[in-house]
């Protein structure tokens, strides 16, 4: 715990806390610098900032963007999450997010259609009800919860394993903005581009190395350090890549509230000597 958490979700995406509850919880944890990084949306920012005005905490604008990259040698495309932080001019990024949100809403319909053909259940209305009717906000977490509520699976994780993850019957790829364009639009908004959780995409070590190198070549600013719970060897691999490509580091818990109770707000990895935190660049 060092008072900085740059990766958190509210109920604007798949967190359980409202932006207001999230800020209050962060203050209680002694966090002084908090980024709200909902999936493809900055809609919670104003409420978070309004709440923060009463407390000794600084809110950093943020968003976790569903992006994609590919290896020219194999032509395969992979999903990747890029966190945008500290935007001074949100408009260029907002334009892209509006498209991302349309993609998200359309994908949710497709996923529900595939689920209907495997389970016989039409879940869409119940899924949309989880996001107060705003279909742009639907994530696979909401769909997983709906599957639990209908008794199709016992736990949300089983919904991913049986239906929603890559290779399963109701998997629909998120056709998001490309990596280079993502970094460019973040910079056009005068923000910083952070490669989120590079070791959590199920990539081989070779592909992780390739991704970090590509991200650095395309002008990315920082890499998120692996969580404390990840193996020491994983952390060492990322530390080496950060040094090699002269990248800054970011730290965040990826807090989702009650949906993922094992993740604690403010529980972030330790920064090693010589590593430069991206938050030191915030204005
Ligand atoms: P989406 O952006 O709609 O694809 O949803 C992605 C979110 O689903 C992630 O941010 C996680 O919160 C959750 N998620 C993704 N993969 C898994 C998984 N294998 N098990 C549990 N939750 C997952
Ligand atoms: Mn999530
Ligand atoms: Mn993510
Ligand atoms: Mn996240």
């Amino acid at each position: 715990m060092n008072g900085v958490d740059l990766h958190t979700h509210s109920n604007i995406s798949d967190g359980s806390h409202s932006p207001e509850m999230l800020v209050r919880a962060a203050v209680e944890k002694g966090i002084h610098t908090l980024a709200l990084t909902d999936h493809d949306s900055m809609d919670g920012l104003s409420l978070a900032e309004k709440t923060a005005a009463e407390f000794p905490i600084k809110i950093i604008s943020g968003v976790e963007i569903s992006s994609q990259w590919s290896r020219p040698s194999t032509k395969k495309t992979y999903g990747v999450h890029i966190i945008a932080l500290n935007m001074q001019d949100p408009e260029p990024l907002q334009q892209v997010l509006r498209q991302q949100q349309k993609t998200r809403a359309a994908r949710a319909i497709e996923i529900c259609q595939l689920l209907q053909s495997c389970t016989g259940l039409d879940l869409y209305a119940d899924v949309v009800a989880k996001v107060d009717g705003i279909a742009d906000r639907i994530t696979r977490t909401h769909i997983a919860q709906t599957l639990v509520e209908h008794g199709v699976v016992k736990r949300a994780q089983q919904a991913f394993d049986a239906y929603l993850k890559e290779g399963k019957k109701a998997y629909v790829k998120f056709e998001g903005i490309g990596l280079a364009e993502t970094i460019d639009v973040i910079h056009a908004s005068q923000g910083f581009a952070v490669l989120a959780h590079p070791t959590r995409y199920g990539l081989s070590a070779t592909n992780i190395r390739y991704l970090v190198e590509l991200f650095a070549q395309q002008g990315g600013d920082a890499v998120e350090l692996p969580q404390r719970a990840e193996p020491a060897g994983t952390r060492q691999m990322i530390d080496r890549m950060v040094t090699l490509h002269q990248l800054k580091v970011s730290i965040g818990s990826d807090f989702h509230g009650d949906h993922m109770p094992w993740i604690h707000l403010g529980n972030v990895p330790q920064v090693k000597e010589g590593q430069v935190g991206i938050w030191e660049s915030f204005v």
Side-chain angles (χ1 to χ4, degrees):
M1 158 61 71
N2 72 356
V4 176
D5 192 332
L6 302 178
H7 187 165
T8 67
H9 295 274
S10 76
N11 63 3
I12 295 296
S13 63
D14 56 353
S16 65
H17 287 34
S18 65
E20 182 180 358
M21 283 164 65
L22 177 71
V23 171
R24 288 177 185 277
V27 170
E28 276 176 31
K29 294 265 185 185
I31 293 167
H32 56 73
T33 304
L34 176 78
L36 174 61
T37 57
D38 278 312
H39 294 288
D40 300 300
S41 174
M42 295 200 280
D43 291 353
L45 181 64
S46 55
L47 192 51
E49 282 175 337
K50 198 170 141 217
T51 309
E54 302 164 36
F55 299 106
I57 186 169
K58 186 171 179 208
I59 304 300
I60 304 300
S61 62
V63 53
E64 183 170 14
I65 302 167
S66 309
S67 182
Q68 44 184 340
W69 66 284
S70 57
R71 281 200 77 145
S73 54
T74 59
K75 297 265 188 330
K76 182 167 160 45
T77 304
Y78 302 88
V80 64
H81 286 174
I82 302 298
I83 292 186
L85 293 175
N86 202 228
M87 277 61 69
Q88 301 305 302
D89 172 17
E91 200 36 49
L93 186 51
Q94 283 288 14
Q95 273 187 34
V96 163
L97 295 180
R98 282 191 276 276
Q99 183 56 45
Q100 294 277 106
Q101 289 159 8
K102 278 189 203 156
T103 302
R104 195 168 269 292
R107 184 184 69 147
I109 293 172
E110 272 188 72
I111 295 174
C112 287
Q113 283 168 346
L114 289 171
L115 283 172
Q116 187 165 11
S117 57
C118 345
T119 67
L121 296 168
D122 183 0
L123 302 171
Y124 186 70
D126 288 349
V127 170
V128 178
K130 291 200 166 294
V131 288
D132 295 330
I134 306 173
D136 295 358
R137 296 182 180 170
I138 301 171
T139 69
R140 283 182 292 162
T141 308
H142 298 108
I143 298 172
Q145 286 163 351
T146 308
L147 284 163
V148 173
E149 285 164 18
H150 281 261
V152 178
V153 288
K154 282 213 173 67
R155 291 182 300 107
Q157 183 61 52
Q158 292 167 340
F160 278 92
D161 292 342
Y163 300 103
L164 300 174
K165 72 182 188 186
E166 189 167 1
K168 299 297 166 180
K169 287 190 202 106
Y171 174 74
V172 179
K173 193 169 169 295
F174 193 110
E175 293 294 349
I177 180 178
L179 180 60
E181 295 92 325
T182 303
I183 295 169
D184 288 348
V185 76
I186 294 169
H187 289 163
S189 279
Q190 297 165 51
F192 298 104
V194 177
L195 176 59
H197 46 70
T199 56
R200 287 190 2 231
Y201 299 110
L203 295 171
S204 65
T206 306
N207 274 343
I208 294 173
R209 272 194 286 274
Y210 185 89
L211 170 60
V212 175
E213 184 178 354
L214 189 66
F215 176 77
Q217 278 171 356
Q218 293 179 342
D221 300 290
V223 172
E224 198 173 63
L225 292 175
Q227 299 301 333
R228 287 172 190 272
E230 291 187 61
T234 299
R235 173 63 192 264
Q236 283 156 13
M237 172 176 73
I238 296 302
D239 287 340
R240 279 197 295 273
M241 292 179 200
V242 162
T243 307
L244 178 65
H245 300 293
Q246 298 181 316
L247 290 157
K248 293 182 175 160
V249 299
S250 185
I251 50 175
S253 62
D254 206 2
F255 181 72
H256 281 75
D258 307 335
H259 301 332
M260 299 181 197
W262 58 91
I263 300 176
H264 299 285
L265 187 59
N267 181 20
V268 297
Q270 233 169 347
V271 177
K272 294 255 160 68
E273 212 180 301
Q275 293 182 332
V276 182
I278 191 69
W279 56 94
E280 291 178 23
S281 305
F282 294 166
V283 287

